[in-house]
Amino acid sequence: MRTLRAPPNLPLPPPLLLLLLASFASFAASSYVPPTKYLIVSNARNGTIGYAKLSPTGEHGPVRPLIDQHLAHPQGIAVDQKRQLLLVADSELRKVVSYGLILQEDGSLSVDEQVPVAEDVESRWVAVDGLGNIYLTDEDKGEVQRVLSQQILDGDTQPKVVLSEATATGVKAPGGIATDNFNVYWTNKEQGDKLGTVMKALPSPAQALATHPPSSTAAPSLAQRSSEVPKALSKELPKAYGVCLALDTLYFTGAESSVYAVKHRNSGATKDMGKTVELTSGLLNPRGCVWDGESTIYVADRSANAVYSLPGPVYALAEVNATKAIDFEGAFGVAIFSRATRSNTWGTSVL
């Protein structure tokens, strides 16, 4: 009978080591705790912001107050996940302000002091990229503006104009805004059916030059690249409000009762590329939207006093059912805050 032997220099692991490795793998799997997610919602009517802890089962926690003072008309909100900041666009204060998000030991959420990050702006919507750069729209001036992360560190609260209806086609009373660290996306609240309901652009020609150096013969010239900016992704509606990104799909809310989606880059579903699809028409006045980072889009409905959920993103766009996630008076802006948990050696969750 032939005896199996290990190759030279590759001794078989001792049985004890194999047992330890198997135990460690089993422990690691059993001690994994999914991230805790919070749905944060603004109420522009009474100047407050609240939140609810999300549950994978759909039985979300009760709505709790988060901010109930020092705001006048909070509308669009965003979360800087890396820096754990909540950003709030308040058109009456004429500011975009930030709050540090604090997760308490009992799982509740709170904030620290209010800090202005953009001042003297008539902004209703705000977004933030992975570097901490803040984007906002000024509907009255017809501008897309930006505050760089370094400006924030320096205490400089004067945003710079990156796109303006005075100098760029495709910008007309800009509304909701989103970013994917490379492009900026916004909705137009005027002439959307002519110029574009939802637009996509590089934040500035300088970025186009950096992305496509003129020394590259295959790259378009800066003038050619700039002429492509902004690009209309949809001309479905004359007016739209909120916009949010989920991988290859851009979601946006109409002025009436519908939520729409369009594939903004090719992911293989070529039949949907560039095609605007009405996902649901059963809402009352949808406003802000946000992706939870997994499989759900949340949409605030101001008149229904609720936040609804839609499945997404999906490979092929089609009509879906909207499900009420939480009741929330005057819901306008929505954002997701996610906080991972870890386990100690006894398997107990630690924040």
Side-chain angles (χ1 to χ4, degrees), residues 38-41 49 66 76-88 99 101 109 126-130 132-134 179 290 334-339:
Y38 298 84
L39 179 64
I40 304 175
V41 191
I49 293 177
L66 183 63
I77 59 177
V79 166
D80 184 339
Q81 186 64 48
K82 183 176 180 181
R83 295 157 192 85
Q84 299 187 31
L85 295 174
L86 173 65
L87 302 167
V88 183
Y99 297 86
L101 288 163
L109 204 58
V126 63
V128 61
D129 67 16
N133 303 313
I134 296 172
T179 181
V290 67
V334 282
I336 293 289
F337 175 58
S338 178
R339 179 66 181 269

Side-chain angles (χ1 to χ4, degrees), residues 33-38 53-54 103 107 337-341 351:
V33 180
T36 303
K37 294 184 180 181
Y38 298 84
K53 184 185 290 188
L54 296 177
L103 189 58
F337 175 58
S338 178
R339 179 66 181 269
T341 58
L351 299 178

Side-chain angles (χ1 to χ4, degrees), residues 307-338:
V307 178
Y308 288 84
S309 65
L310 310 173
V314 295
Y315 178 75
L317 297 175
E319 185 175 355
V320 297
N321 292 322
T323 303
K324 183 186 289 188
I326 60 170
D327 291 302
F328 195 97
E329 182 184 353
F332 194 101
V334 282
I336 293 289
F337 175 58
S338 178

Side-chain angles (χ1 to χ4, degrees), residues 277-305:
V277 176
E278 185 181 36
L279 300 178
T280 183
S281 59
L283 305 184
L284 297 180
N285 287 115
R287 290 298 182 259
C289 64
V290 67
W291 177 41
D292 73 345
E294 294 186 44
S295 58
T296 305
I297 307 296
Y298 291 96
V299 181
D301 192 323
R302 189 177 191 179
S303 294
N305 296 313

Side-chain angles (χ1 to χ4, degrees), residues 154-206:
D154 295 340
D156 180 358
T157 59
Q158 295 304 307
K160 305 296 188 293
V161 178
V162 292
L163 290 160
S164 168
E165 64 181 54
T167 58
T169 58
V171 184
K172 192 65 175 178
I177 190 164
T179 181
D180 61 4
N181 298 327
F182 184 67
N183 293 290
V184 61
Y185 306 79
W186 70 94
T187 61
N188 282 320
K189 296 178 72 176
E190 293 181 14
Q191 300 182 29
D193 50 347
K194 298 180 177 65
L195 300 176
T197 308
V198 185
M199 307 298 299
K200 169 184 177 180
L202 290 167
S204 67

Side-chain angles (χ1 to χ4, degrees), residues 231-256:
K231 176 184 178 182
L233 296 177
S234 173
K235 292 185 178 181
E236 187 76 13
L237 306 170
K239 179 179 183 178
Y241 280 88
V243 62
C244 54
L245 286 164
L247 300 179
D248 64 341
T249 307
L250 194 76
Y251 295 81
F252 61 98
T253 60
E256 301 301 330

